[in-house]
Amino acid sequence: MNERKQPGLANQTLLNKIDKLRELNVGSIELPQLVVVGDQSSGKSSVLESLTGFSFPQAPGLCTRYATQISCRRDSERSVSVSIIPCPGTDAAVADRQRSFTRTLTDLTNEHLVKIIGDANCAMGIKMTPDHADPNLTAFSQHILKIEMNGPEQEHFTVIDVPGIFRVPSPPLTTESDVALVRNMVESYMQNSRTIILAVLPSNVDISTQEILQMAERADPDGLRTMGVLTKPDLVTEKATRDVVKDLIAGKRNKLRLGYSIVKNRSADDQNSGVSERLAQETTFFSKSVWKETANTGRCGIGSLKTRLSDLLLTITKREFPNVKSDIVRRLEQCRGELVGIGPSRTELSSQRVYLGQLGSKFQKITQSALNGYYYGEKVFEQDTTLRLITNITKMNEAFANEVWKKGHKRHMSALADDGGETSYELAKHDTTLETIEERKCKYLELQDIVEEEDYRCSEAKPCDEDPIASHIEQIYQDNRGPELGTFNGSILAIAFKEQSEKWEPLVLAHVSRSITAVHHYISSILAHICPDRRVLDQLWDTLLTDKLQTAYKRAMDQARFVLSIERDGMPSTYNHYFNSEVQTKRLDRLTKEMEKISVTCYTDSYSKESKIQAVPFNSIKSLVEDKDNMQQIREDILDVLASYYKVARKRFVDTICRQVIGHFLLDGKESPLRVFSTELVNGLDDEVLEAIAGEDEETRQRRKRLEAEVKSLEEAVKLLRG
C-alpha cells in the first residue's frame, strides 16, 4: 500500500512546488501550467466550475478582470483561502500591500465569495462599475487572484483562468485599450512553451472561424500543447453540425495533437444544482443515442476531461521541472550580474567615487590582460575576439611590415633582388569580424577628424622593364649634379630616396588609423561591458573621456608624421654598420655578375670533373673597369647606395612606427589612451563632475529595486527547489 502511495505523494510535492514558484513572482521563468482561454460567453466559467468544484459568483464585473489561479488540494480539513500574487515588476510598496490581502474561510458561499472578490478588486484598483470616476482605477489587471480550495474530496489540480477575449468595448467600463490589453494578456499566457492551452469553444458555432483557435495556432503552430474543449452540445440541433463535432472528438478534421473533449454546461437558468447533480445530468445527456457513440471515445464529460488534464499537467511538470530549475539558476546569476553592474546605491559623493574608481580599476585590470595576451579568465575575450587587443595589433603590425617591404618602394631596384635571407611574416587568416576604418568612423564619430578618410590600398611597383630605375637615377643626377668629379653629392641621394619612399606616408597613416580605431573599439567595448548603466556610460564618454582620448590619438598621429618627416625630409643618415656591409655586398654582387660573363672553364687536374672551375683571365679584368664610362659608374654607385640605405631605413622606420607610435603612444606609454580611465583620474574629479557622471537617477534606483526583489524571489525559489 505504501509503495503505491509514494508516487502520488511525490507528484503532489512536485505540483505544490510549481504553485509556490508562481507565488514567488518568478514571472520571468516559464512554469508548467494549464490555462483556460476562450471568448466571453463560450462556457469557460462553467467548465472551470465543473473542473474545480468552484462556483463562480454571478455578480457582474467579478472574476473576469484578471487571471485567476484556482488550486485544489486534498486535505482532511475543508478550507478556502484567497490571496493576490502581484505581477513581476510591481513597485515594492504596492506588492507588499497586495500580498497582505488574504482571506481564509472554512466554507465558501456565493455571498462570501462576492464580498471577497470585491475586496480583491479594490486592492488591485479594479473599476467594478461604470460610475467609478477615479482615473487611477482600471478595468483589468496584470495581477493574479489565487484561490486555493482544500478538502477531503479534492484532488490535486491547478488551472489558470484568464479574462475572456472580447472585441467591442463597453464605455465607460471598458475601452479599446482594454480590448488590446486582454488580448495581450491571453497571448502572453499562451506563448509560454510550458503551458497546456485549454481552448473552450461552443459546439454550436463554426469551429474553423473561432479566433481563439487562431491565436492558439500562432502560439502553438504544431498543435502539441493545445486541447479543444467543446461546450453547449445541447444547443446543437442540426445533424450536420453534430457530425462535425463528433468528427473532432474522434480525432478527425483537427490539427490538435491533444485532440478535443466535450462537456455539457449547466443551463443558464440552473443556479441551484450541485456538482454531483450536474455530473449526473451530463452523464444522462451523453447516454442519448445521438451521442452514445461519441461517449465511448473517453472524451465526453467533465470526469474524463479532468483526468486527462491532471495527467497532462503532471506529465509536463515532470518533464519540464529540471529545465525550470536550470532556468531559475541561470536567471538568478543574470540578475546578480546586472546588480553588480549597476553597483551599490550612489546617493552620496563617496559612494559615487568608489563606484567610478572600481570601474577604472576593473578597466585597467582587463586591459593589462589584453596587453599581455592573458585572455584566460575574462569571458569578454571569449565572447568577442576583436577585443584580444595585443593579438590583433601584432597581426596588424606584421601585415604593415610585410606591405612596406613588398610594396613600399615606388620602383623596383634590381639591386634589391637579393633580400639577404629576409622573409615576410606568415600572417594568420584574416579576421573578417574586424571592421574597416570607414565602418568604425561611422560608428565612432569622435574619430572623424583624427584618422584617415579611408583605408589605403598599396599597389605593386611596376616591373623593372616598364619603369627602369637606372634611367631615372641618371635623370636625377643630371638635373641635380654639382661640380663633383667622379662622385655625387648627398642631395641626389636624398631626392632619390624621398621619391622611392613616397608610399610610406599613406601606408603609415592608414596603419596608425587602423590601430587607433582598434584601440578605440576596444575601449568602447570594454567600458560597455563593465558599465551596463547606459546613462553613466554616456556621461563618462561625454564628460570625461572623449576629449582626453582624442588628444591621445592626435598625439599618436602627430608622432607618425614626425617620424615620416625625419626619415623622408632630412638628409639620409645612418650609423648602422649594416649599411656599409650592404653597399660592399651589392658592389661585389655586381662585379661577380660581370665576371661571370667573361669567365672560362679550367681544369686543375687531368680534365677531371672534380678539378673543373670557372676562372677569369687576368687581362680581361681590366675591361670591367676601363670599358665603363663615368656616368655608368656614378649611376651604379648611386643605385647601390640607394638600395642599401633604403633597406636599412625601411627596417628602422617600420620598427620605429610599430614600437613608438603604436607601442608607446597607443598601448604602453604613460599617456596612452588605454591609461586615460583609471582610479587616479577618478580621484582627481571635483564633486560637480563626479555627480554628473556617477549620480544615480530615478530609473536606475527603480531598476535596482526590481532586480533586488527578483533576486530575493529567485533565491527563495532555489531554496524551495532544493528542499
Side-chain angles (χ1 to χ4, degrees), residues 321-376:
F321 193 73
N323 297 326
V324 170
K325 292 171 67 174
S326 299
D327 288 350
I328 288 175
V329 172
R330 189 181 305 112
R331 177 59 184 163
L332 178 57
E333 292 177 353
Q334 181 182 349
C335 289
R336 285 172 173 169
E338 291 181 24
L339 272 177
V340 170
I342 295 176
S345 177
R346 305 191 301 275
T347 56
E348 303 291 334
L349 286 172
S350 58
S351 60
Q352 294 167 8
R353 199 175 298 278
V354 168
Y355 172 69
L356 273 190
Q358 289 174 340
L359 289 182
S361 177
K362 189 170 185 179
F363 177 84
Q364 289 301 322
K365 176 178 176 292
I366 294 175
T367 298
Q368 198 59 47
S369 297
L371 290 175
N372 292 330
Y374 298 154
Y375 305 125
Y376 178 78

Side-chain angles (χ1 to χ4, degrees), residues 380-449:
V380 67
F381 296 130
E382 299 176 10
Q383 297 164 354
D384 187 353
T385 58
T386 65
L387 301 181
R388 298 186 176 192
L389 188 59
I390 197 63
T391 300
N392 292 322
I393 291 293
T394 299
K395 290 178 182 178
M396 292 164 63
N397 280 341
E398 290 176 348
F400 168 69
N402 281 352
E403 194 161 25
V404 174
W405 175 41
K406 294 291 187 181
K407 304 178 183 178
H409 47 283
K410 182 177 182 179
R411 291 180 172 84
H412 278 301
M413 295 181 279
S414 57
L416 286 177
D418 179 10
D419 56 18
E422 186 176 1
T423 58
S424 61
Y425 290 101
E426 292 186 7
L427 301 181
K429 185 178 180 181
H430 178 63
D431 190 348
T432 56
T433 61
L434 294 177
E435 297 165 303
T436 64
I437 293 177
E438 295 93 327
E439 289 171 331
R440 285 191 175 162
K441 278 185 67 176
C442 294
K443 187 175 181 180
Y444 305 112
L445 298 179
E446 57 269 27
L447 300 180
Q448 289 284 353
D449 298 327

Side-chain angles (χ1 to χ4, degrees), residues 221-232:
D222 297 325
L224 298 176
R225 52 185 182 86
T226 303
M227 178 187 291
V229 178
L230 301 173
T231 63
K232 305 180 182 181

Side-chain angles (χ1 to χ4, degrees), residues 45-94:
S45 295
S46 180
V47 171
L48 283 166
E49 181 178 338
S50 299
L51 285 172
T52 63
F54 171 77
S55 299
F56 282 81
Q58 300 303 309
L62 301 182
C63 273
T64 58
R65 304 299 179 185
Y66 35 74
T68 305
Q69 176 187 320
I70 306 170
S71 300
C72 303
R73 300 287 182 272
R74 184 185 296 275
D75 198 284
S76 58
E77 300 292 330
R78 190 183 303 277
S79 66
V80 178
S81 62
V82 182
S83 58
I84 296 174
I85 304 175
C87 70
T90 303
D91 179 76
V94 175

Side-chain angles (χ1 to χ4, degrees), residues 32-172:
Q33 57 192 7
L34 295 175
V35 174
V36 182
V37 296
D39 284 3
Q40 290 182 349
S41 303
S42 63
K44 184 161 62 73
S45 295
S46 180
V47 171
L48 283 166
E49 181 178 338
S50 299
L51 285 172
T52 63
F54 171 77
S55 299
F56 282 81
Q58 300 303 309
L62 301 182
C63 273
T64 58
R65 304 299 179 185
Y66 35 74
T68 305
Q69 176 187 320
I70 306 170
S71 300
C72 303
R73 300 287 182 272
R74 184 185 296 275
D75 198 284
S76 58
E77 300 292 330
R78 190 183 303 277
S79 66
V80 178
S81 62
V82 182
S83 58
I84 296 174
I85 304 175
C87 70
T90 303
D91 179 76
V94 175
D96 289 341
R97 186 169 65 249
Q98 290 176 347
R99 286 194 189 95
S100 67
F101 176 89
T102 57
R103 301 289 188 273
T104 304
L105 301 168
T106 55
D107 199 7
L108 193 62
T109 65
N110 190 65
E111 292 76 16
H112 287 147
L113 190 56
V114 169
K115 175 66 169 60
I116 291 174
I117 292 181
D119 293 344
N121 286 350
C122 291
M124 286 192 242
I126 297 294
K127 182 195 301 184
M128 292 185 290
T129 60
D131 56 355
H132 274 127
D134 189 343
N136 294 319
L137 297 180
T138 60
F140 296 90
S141 173
Q142 298 282 358
H143 307 303
I144 299 174
L145 183 71
K146 179 183 178 183
I147 301 174
E148 188 170 4
M149 306 179 66
N150 300 315
E153 77 286 355
Q154 297 288 356
E155 294 183 10
H156 196 122
F157 190 78
T158 298
V159 65
I160 297 176
D161 176 35
V162 293
I165 61 172
F166 63 103
R167 297 159 191 80
V168 181
S170 302

